[in-house]
Amino acid sequence: PRDLLTTAAGDTYVLNSKTIAKLNGDNPGEIVGSGLTSAISFTAAPGGGFYVIDNSTAIKKVDTAGTVTVRATIPSSQGGIWASSDDTLYFTDANNRRINKLSPGGVLSTFVQLPTTPSGLIRKPDGGFYVRYNTGAIVSVSDAGEIRSFATVSGAQGSAIDPSGRMYVTTATQVRVLD
């Protein structure tokens, strides 16, 4: 698996390189999206479905019927995407070391310039983002674009956050909880 996601409805999905599968709730194991090439990361889309970073260079929408369409061609991304309620997308840009913002109308802009290569992005419950770097450093980025150190986890590979704001970081051998 490349990524996991639990929706506001409590359904959990797993992203593999070419499919999205539902893990619980009604119809566990159901494939809800196929036709992906080499998916890296995904997020829930407002109104249902998902946005997926596929093949590092495209954002694809998988609608509730499982139909896959290209929303945008993007600079290289190593992972991390989030959709706001108005369908604005935020995603990491590894080559240019930044978080990009893609408006619903397709306008691409820089949300914040980062000091090093990002490898993950998750939305904080109270606003802003956590960004994981290839170095294992994790920073907090406010909605205003202010960057602050948060933690360092050697070998960090994945991260998630629960509704209370507790962060979980995976390495090859463990899951660490950061409060």
Side-chain angles (χ1 to χ4, degrees):
R2 301 281 176 100
D3 203 358
L4 285 170
L5 171 71
T6 300
T7 65
D11 293 322
T12 301
Y13 295 86
V14 63
L15 176 69
N16 293 304
S17 64
K18 298 181 186 223
T19 62
I20 298 170
K22 190 174 186 181
L23 295 182
N24 67 338
D26 296 335
N27 305 315
E30 171 188 21
I31 303 297
V32 294
S34 61
L36 302 169
T37 306
S38 184
I40 295 170
S41 185
F42 71 140
T43 190
F50 304 95
Y51 284 111
V52 181
I53 295 177
D54 195 21
N55 206 26
S56 296
T57 58
I59 295 177
K60 295 183 178 179
K61 173 133 189 214
V62 179
D63 68 18
T64 55
T67 304
V68 179
T69 56
V70 175
R71 162 94 185 259
T73 301
I74 59 171
S76 175
S77 178
Q78 291 187 346
I81 183 169
W82 180 75
S84 70
S85 61
D86 73 350
D87 219 22
T88 298
L89 300 178
Y90 296 82
F91 60 93
T92 59
D93 176 346
N95 287 343
N96 296 303
R97 297 187 209 163
R98 61 186 173 205
I99 298 173
N100 283 330
K101 179 179 177 180
L102 182 65
S103 75
V107 176
L108 182 65
S109 61
T110 299
F111 171 68
V112 67
Q113 190 70 44
L114 300 167
T116 191
T117 304
S119 61
L121 173 80
I122 54 177
R123 183 71 172 171
K124 295 166 47 176
D126 60 349
F129 298 93
Y130 286 116
V131 177
R132 192 180 67 251
Y133 296 136
N134 289 340
T135 61
I138 299 168
V139 296
S140 174
V141 179
S142 73
D143 282 334
E146 298 165 343
I147 301 171
R148 298 208 164 136
S149 294
F150 177 72
T152 300
V153 178
S154 181
Q157 296 178 348
S159 51
I161 200 161
D162 69 18
S164 71
R166 185 175 301 128
M167 178 184 271
Y168 300 84
V169 179
T170 61
T171 69
T173 59
Q174 65 180 343
V175 175
R176 290 194 48 196
V177 179
L178 307 176
D179 290 313

